[in-house]
Amino acid sequence: MKTDQARQQITQLTEWFISHQPCTIATSGGIDSMLLAFIAHQAIGEQARIIHSTSAAVPSTDAQRITHYANRYHWNLTLITSDEINNPDYKNNPVNRCYYCKSCLFTRMTALQSGPIVTGTNLDDLGDYRPGLIAARENNVYQPYVELSITKQHIRQIADHLSLDDLKDLPASPCLASRIETGIAIDQHELSLVDRVENMVKATLQTDIVRFRIGHTHNEVQLNPQLCQTLTDQQKEALVARISTVLTAKLSERPIRVTDYRQGSAFIGIKNIKV
């Protein structure tokens, strides 16, 4: 049954892209946009211009994944710099920081004049606080997953059906700026440190779920709860000590806690999901 549904949704997405070519697909490196880019390329080839912004806020592993797929499947890939890091409204890290990020991205993509902008927003995303959706609406961005009522679970099933094994179980990978607590200014060097720390912890503990959160009063290393419970106090202390060696003096002044992963825990503010 799931196979039939996945096959049908692939057909629907293929027909969608055929009727909307040429188009530009914003690809961050997560499963949603990666799968969308894969299907778009399969459907319309070079008419699918796949865009990746080389922002300092994008995890390095995401950029590597996109480059790998582009080389392997001969995507029409264009790397751009949306330059949100130099936007004062974005740098101030307000509650709606994502709005300014996506506005910069969509403005840059529109300038490419390669057809409508397409994103990997899925049906489940509409129930979360995502101010970037406001920027999408303002820029007439298309969301084929939403139009076709495709959820996150469907996306994983489609990836499995297509034997995209490195995508089907890929954990969520939001931008690095999401690790910075609301109200703390976004700093390019600190984003690089977040990326470095997370990759180091992943390699040390052999885990995919790691967040290094920078807060007003303390920093946190957040891990898969099951893994976190297995670590002794001595192991946690050793991990903190290793992390401290790569931090700036400013970040080292705050205590580091090792705790369970909590989605969106760097966000402080009133969430209004009506976008």
Side-chain angles (χ1 to χ4, degrees):
M1 189 68 177
K2 290 181 180 179
T3 299
D4 291 341
Q5 184 181 47
R7 187 181 297 113
Q8 180 183 11
Q9 289 172 329
I10 292 170
T11 298
Q12 292 174 329
L13 287 166
T14 298
E15 292 173 348
W16 190 96
F17 279 111
I18 290 173
S19 65
H20 289 81
Q21 59 180 313
C23 59
T24 57
I25 300 111
T27 310
S28 65
I31 182 176
D32 300 348
S33 61
M34 288 287 290
L35 179 67
L36 197 66
F38 180 88
I39 293 175
H41 175 76
Q42 295 290 96
I44 59 177
E46 291 291 304
Q47 293 299 304
R49 189 171 187 181
I50 297 162
I51 305 298
H52 176 63
S53 176
T54 58
S55 166
V58 177
S60 57
T61 52
D62 288 2
Q64 293 165 8
R65 187 178 306 111
I66 289 173
T67 301
H68 169 72
Y69 262 67
N71 291 335
R72 181 177 180 181
Y73 297 107
H74 309 290
W75 285 359
N76 178 16
L77 175 66
T78 300
L79 302 179
I80 65 172
T81 302
S82 52
D83 206 33
E84 77 281 356
I85 196 69
N86 292 316
N87 182 312
D89 292 318
Y90 172 87
K91 291 185 71 172
N92 288 337
N93 196 15
V95 169
N96 63 337
R97 180 198 67 246
C98 294
Y99 168 79
Y100 300 107
C101 175
K102 295 302 185 184
S103 293
C104 290
L105 173 63
F106 296 147
T107 297
R108 181 72 179 86
M109 290 181 68
T110 298
L112 298 176
Q113 298 183 335
S114 297
I117 299 171
V118 181
T119 70
T121 300
N122 69 66
L123 194 63
D124 295 332
D125 294 333
L126 302 186
D128 196 5
Y129 177 68
R130 293 179 181 262
L133 293 177
I134 298 174
R137 186 182 63 215
E138 292 175 351
N139 287 273
N140 300 311
V141 170
Y142 287 76
Q143 300 162 340
Y145 288 145
V146 173
E147 291 183 35
L148 299 172
S149 299
I150 294 176
T151 66
K152 188 76 165 189
Q153 182 180 2
H154 294 147
I155 289 169
R156 295 197 183 279
Q157 290 171 357
I158 293 170
D160 186 30
H161 180 74
L162 293 171
S163 298
L164 300 175
D165 295 337
D166 56 342
L167 290 186
K168 67 178 183 179
D169 298 320
L170 194 67
S173 181
C175 79
L176 297 172
S178 68
R179 282 45 156 193
I180 315 299
E181 201 166 75
T182 304
I184 298 176
I186 301 297
D187 177 89
Q188 189 167 346
H189 180 60
E190 289 187 355
L191 293 178
S192 297
L193 282 177
V194 168
D195 191 43
R196 182 178 176 185
V197 168
E198 290 188 357
N199 286 332
M200 182 176 69
V201 175
K202 287 177 182 178
T204 300
L205 300 179
Q206 296 297 296
T207 182
D208 289 330
I209 301 178
V210 177
R211 297 290 186 272
F212 180 59
R213 311 269 193 204
I214 295 177
H216 289 272
T217 60
H218 65 277
N219 304 322
E220 287 190 358
V221 181
Q222 296 184 355
L223 306 172
N224 181 303
Q226 289 75 25
L227 172 61
C228 194
Q229 291 173 11
T230 67
L231 298 179
T232 65
D233 290 342
Q234 291 78 11
Q235 288 173 317
K236 291 179 180 179
E237 290 171 3
L239 185 64
V240 167
R242 186 172 182 187
I243 292 170
S244 298
T245 63
V246 303
L247 298 182
T248 61
K250 173 185 172 184
L251 290 179
S252 295
E253 292 175 354
R254 304 179 189 131
I256 301 174
R257 300 175 184 171
V258 180
T259 185
D260 292 347
Y261 165 62
R262 304 184 308 283
Q263 183 179 4
S265 55
F267 177 91
I268 301 175
I270 299 173
K271 296 185 178 183
N272 178 8
I273 64 174
K274 295 180 180 180
V275 296

